[in-house]
């Protein structure tokens, strides 16, 4: 393949982890989930939207969320992470790609996320302007191991396939 040819497909992967603490809202995939603790971060600390944003940026070789939206920038303080996702999607579209499918996993010992998976899928599909049929959300516990298993943290990973328009 020549260096100037553009690939038909691009795959991106994203991963994020946030500490959990009292006095914070727990927002996952753009959905507020009632819980005794929430994710700590400069923005709203939506671990899933951060992972999806990184997957989009990675697929187009555009760095990562911290480069585009540094936590040293006061403009990003407590901002809705959908802003980050929308900006990454705009870059994807400007480069001539669209999201073919998205597969995500959320890692949390508690709360149980099964009741929220459908709402999270719907919100992701809405934010990415894609069909819900191509959005998958899985939830896993930490099996009481490590910071996630001890309920000290929440994590997420995301894989995205982009297709050239």
């Amino acid at each position: 393949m020549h260096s100037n040819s553009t690939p038909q497909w691009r795959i991106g992967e994203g991963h994020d982890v946030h500490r959990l603490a009292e006095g914070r809202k727990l927002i996952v995939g753009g959905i507020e989930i009632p819980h005794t603790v929430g994710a700590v971060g400069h923005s709203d600390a939506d671990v899933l939207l951060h992972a999806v944003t990184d997957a989009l940026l990675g697929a187009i070789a555009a760095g990562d969320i911290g480069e585009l939206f540094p936590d040293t920038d006061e403009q990003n303080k407590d901002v809705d992470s959908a802003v980050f996702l929308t900006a990454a999607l705009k870059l994807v579209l400007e480069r001539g790609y669209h999201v073919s499918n998205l597969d995500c996993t959320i890692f949390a010992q508690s709360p149980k996320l099964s009741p929220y998976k459908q709402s999270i899928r719907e919100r992701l599909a809405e934010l990415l302007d894609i069909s819900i049929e191509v959005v998958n959300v899985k939830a896993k516990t930490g099996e009481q191991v490590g910071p996630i298993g001890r309920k000290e943290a929440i994590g997420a990973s995301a894989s995205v396939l982009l297709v050239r328009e």
Side-chain angles (χ1 to χ4, degrees):
M1 184 153 88
H2 295 91
S3 61
N4 63 352
S5 65
T6 306
Q8 184 68 32
W9 302 282
R10 297 189 79 151
I11 296 171
E13 180 272 336
H15 176 79
D16 197 26
V17 176
H18 283 274
R19 280 184 305 110
L20 294 171
E22 291 181 7
R24 292 283 299 188
K25 291 180 181 177
L26 182 60
I27 300 170
V28 180
I31 303 299
E32 187 173 338
I33 297 172
H35 197 46
T36 56
V37 294
V40 176
H42 188 66
S43 66
D44 66 2
D46 187 327
V47 70
L48 182 57
L49 290 192
H50 292 183
V52 174
T53 299
D54 268 348
L56 291 172
L57 294 171
I60 58 170
D64 63 46
I65 193 171
E67 292 172 48
L68 263 61
F69 302 99
D71 62 9
T72 53
D73 186 344
E74 279 305 305
Q75 273 189 289
N76 300 326
K77 181 102 175 94
D78 297 325
V79 74
D80 182 342
S81 293
V83 170
F84 307 150
L85 183 64
T86 302
L89 179 62
K90 184 173 186 270
L91 292 174
V92 164
L93 298 173
E94 285 171 356
R95 285 170 170 77
Y97 289 90
H98 70 270
V99 176
S100 175
N101 74 297
L102 172 67
D103 186 28
C104 308
T105 306
I106 308 157
F107 301 92
Q109 190 66 39
S110 70
K112 293 291 180 210
L113 295 172
S114 294
Y116 304 99
K117 289 193 312 187
Q118 184 64 22
S119 297
I120 292 169
R121 286 181 68 212
E122 289 168 3
R123 182 64 178 142
L124 287 168
E126 176 188 1
L127 288 169
L128 295 169
D129 195 25
I130 57 177
S131 167
I132 194 167
E133 283 79 29
V134 299
V135 177
N136 190 52
V137 174
K138 302 178 296 285
K140 303 287 183 188
T141 68
E143 295 295 334
Q144 299 169 350
V145 176
I148 290 172
R150 290 189 302 268
K151 304 177 187 176
E152 298 167 1
I154 186 169
S157 65
S159 298
V160 65
L161 176 65
L162 304 183
V163 177
R164 192 136 194 73
E165 293 290 347

